[in-house]
Amino acid sequence: MKKSIKKFVSREFVKTVDLELLRRLIDKFDAAEQLGWENLPEEDRERREAIYELFRGADETFPKKLLDALHRIMMLSNPTGVRLLHERAEAAGIKLIPDEELEDENDGRHLTPRHIALRAFLDHQEIFDQTRKVAAFFFGSKILEFHGTPDTPSRHDSAEAREAFQKAASAYFSERYQGRYCRISWYDEGEEIRIMVAHGHNATMANVEEDGEEQTRAWREIGEDSIRYHAPSGWAGVMARTLGDQRQLAALFAEHMLGDADFFKKRENEQLYTLRPVQEQGGDFRFQYDWDERVQDVQIRQIVIDDGEYVLDGRRHHSPWTHTCKDNHDAITQLLEFAPDLDLSEVRIVSMKLVFRFVINGEVFPVAVTIRPPHTATISDRTLEDAIMEHLTRNGIRLPRQADTAAIAAE
């Protein structure tokens, strides 16, 4: 926790943040007296250094509500978070930053992502909260995806179904992590239903100093897992810290929201991605993206190959070797230069990493995408997921959702 606070209030941030905004944040939680704000040095440089040390040294006595706010602000204190804030604000007809502040003598150079996130939290709480709810479904662990039967409706509007899911999830996390906290929130986003599951993880203990004495304190970190479900295509995506949690949440969702505990359990439900086009084309493979004017370039940064798996005498055997090849632009070409006699169709491609360079409003947004068939695509910026999925589908890497097949064939 201390590490997160230090990362938010870095020296760079302290040197540029508007101290009045920071004081407003402190006052919002009536924490000025507890933090000794009035005793800070008057001189600007010394005051900022004292603020840095104040936040850097945060411990269990730090105001909890303020601490939570800092974590929420930190979550959106990056270029992607700011882009989402602006998109939500524009949709609501709201300007996050007044024109006069953009046109001041500093040319808006103080408007860093952290500053804008802090400003949005203070002045546009509703926009900030809406953005955070959306971002929580994208900023997290890698997503485990499933395909089920299209046009299977979710029963999330049923109070009885929600309660059953709540009880089942609470029982699972209580048994797994011995915690007592499990809170579930429900959101609609277009045709998707989104579920946020906040729960405690295993307890952590540490020795701390308290009034000049050594004390032992224990706490549980609250984690946030999420489920997304798109009924028209039967697609679901689950984010959680472990693969076991992902699969269990998917099973509980299928049982209580879809009425079929086996909805995602068939092997074909996890056949979502393939690297067969790379295997078949070898060195001739080129990722096609010219149709999308937002994409400046797509680089193949890494490819991992091995000898595959095989079954002998009833036992599954794994490849005795693995080779990883990296390059700043085209790892396939680099691999074949290293091993000119290699035939990619005779080996297994374990994974491939792409870097998309999107240009949005004149700013370049690099997005790393690692494909690991058959069911995993790790995307560094899930807010551009729809565009990336279309690219992967057009290049034969993403197997189309059943509901998409007719549209792709028609195109």
Side-chain angles (χ1 to χ4, degrees):
M1 186 172 294
K2 191 179 294 186
K3 182 178 179 181
S4 297
I5 292 296
K6 181 178 179 181
K7 183 177 181 180
F8 175 74
V9 191
S10 66
R11 290 189 182 277
E12 180 184 3
F13 172 79
V14 172
K15 288 180 180 179
T16 59
V17 70
D18 186 322
L19 293 183
E20 287 300 316
L21 286 184
L22 194 55
R23 174 56 192 264
R24 285 176 55 195
L25 179 66
I26 300 296
D27 289 343
K28 185 180 180 72
F29 298 100
D30 298 321
E33 182 176 351
Q34 185 175 348
L35 296 177
W37 188 267
E38 297 301 332
N39 298 324
L40 294 176
E42 292 293 331
E43 198 273 326
D44 186 80
R45 183 173 180 179
E46 294 180 1
R47 190 177 185 84
R48 292 177 183 275
E49 184 65 25
I51 293 170
Y52 172 77
E53 292 297 333
L54 185 67
F55 283 84
R56 188 177 71 88
D59 57 18
E60 72 282 353
T61 66
F62 199 87
K64 292 183 179 180
K65 290 185 178 180
L66 176 59
L67 185 63
D68 180 62
L70 286 167
H71 279 294
R72 284 184 283 157
I73 293 168
M74 190 185 78
M75 182 180 184
L76 299 181
S77 296
N78 54 69
T80 299
V82 168
R83 177 162 58 82
L84 287 173
L85 281 168
H86 279 300
E87 288 175 358
R88 288 274 160 171
E90 289 173 3
I94 294 173
K95 281 196 172 184
L96 287 180
I97 307 298
D99 289 338
E100 56 268 23
E101 189 168 343
L102 295 172
E103 299 169 358
D104 69 4
E105 60 183 10
N106 293 318
D107 294 329
R109 283 175 289 177
H110 64 295
L111 299 176
T112 63
R114 292 188 180 105
H115 181 100
I116 294 173
L118 176 57
R119 184 68 173 269
F121 181 85
L122 291 169
D123 296 341
H124 305 286
Q125 185 77 57
E126 185 175 353
I127 295 296
F128 184 94
D129 289 342
Q130 290 175 356
T131 304
R132 180 180 173 273
K133 288 176 182 178
V134 172
F137 289 94
F138 299 107
F139 301 158
S141 308
K142 64 183 180 181
I143 192 169
L144 182 64
E145 301 178 59
F146 303 89
H147 278 172
T149 305
D151 297 318
T152 302
S154 166
R155 301 189 295 189
H156 60 278
D157 289 330
S158 164
E160 182 179 353
R162 287 194 185 201
E163 183 179 358
F165 180 80
Q166 168 82 50
K167 288 181 178 179
S170 296
Y172 169 73
F173 287 116
S174 177
E175 180 180 358
R176 181 168 174 78
Y177 297 111
Q178 290 75 53
R180 300 179 182 178
Y181 176 83
C182 183
R183 180 178 178 181
I184 298 180
S185 304
W186 309 77
Y187 310 98
D188 287 312
E189 187 76 18
E191 293 183 320
E192 281 191 5
I193 172 64
R194 298 181 176 182
I195 306 173
M196 180 67 67
V197 183
H199 62 88
H201 284 285
N202 288 328
T204 300
M205 299 188 70
N207 290 334
V208 299
E209 179 186 343
E210 195 170 279
D211 297 328
E213 297 182 0
E214 181 179 327
Q215 302 288 343
T216 301
R217 294 287 179 263
W219 69 90
R220 291 183 185 276
E221 178 188 357
I222 299 296
E224 288 187 332
D225 301 337
S226 64
I227 304 170
R228 298 165 54 198
Y229 178 65
H230 183 260
S233 63
W235 175 89
V238 183
M239 278 187 180
R241 183 170 295 186
T242 69
L243 180 61
D245 288 350
Q246 288 175 314
R247 292 194 181 281
Q248 185 62 27
L249 283 172
L252 293 178
F253 177 84
E255 179 180 357
H256 299 289
M257 293 294 105
L258 305 178
D260 180 3
D262 297 327
F263 190 77
F264 298 123
K265 287 188 176 180
K266 296 178 181 178
R267 182 175 178 83
E268 58 266 27
N269 293 144
E270 296 188 32
Q271 303 298 314
L272 287 92
Y273 301 98
T274 178
L275 291 173
R276 185 169 296 278
V278 182
Q279 286 183 299
E280 294 175 347
Q281 298 176 41
D284 294 328
F285 177 80
R286 296 292 182 271
F287 197 94
Q288 304 298 321
Y289 60 88
D290 292 346
W291 56 271
D292 190 346
E293 61 183 14
R294 297 170 300 174
V295 178
Q296 185 184 74
D297 191 17
V298 177
Q299 302 160 345
I300 303 175
R301 291 288 188 89
Q302 177 177 296
I303 186 169
V304 180
I305 62 172
D306 69 12
D307 206 23
E309 299 178 351
Y310 59 94
V311 177
L312 181 65
D313 297 330
R315 297 180 60 186
R316 182 177 297 276
H317 296 262
H318 299 278
S319 173
W321 60 269
T322 299
H323 182 76
T324 301
C325 183
K326 300 180 180 180
D327 189 76
N328 289 333
H329 190 76
D330 190 345
I332 296 176
T333 298
Q334 180 72 11
L335 173 64
L336 296 178
E337 288 181 359
F338 173 78
D341 295 329
L342 176 67
D343 185 346
L344 287 178
S345 65
E346 296 180 356
V347 298
R348 179 178 68 167
I349 302 179
V350 178
S351 66
M352 186 170 72
K353 180 179 180 180
L354 307 171
V355 174
F356 289 76
R357 293 176 61 83
F358 285 89
V359 180
I360 302 174
N361 296 327
E363 187 174 354
V364 177
F365 285 86
V367 181
V369 180
T370 301
I371 298 96
R372 189 182 182 92
H375 56 63
T376 303
T378 305
I379 304 176
S380 63
D381 183 351
R382 286 263 170 194
T383 63
L384 293 166
E385 177 181 8
D386 288 346
I388 288 169
M389 290 302 170
E390 186 172 356
H391 278 279
L392 296 181
T393 300
R394 288 183 180 228
N395 282 272
I397 293 173
R398 171 182 174 260
L399 300 175
R401 302 178 186 178
Q402 297 178 50
D404 292 342
T405 305
I408 292 171
E411 182 177 327

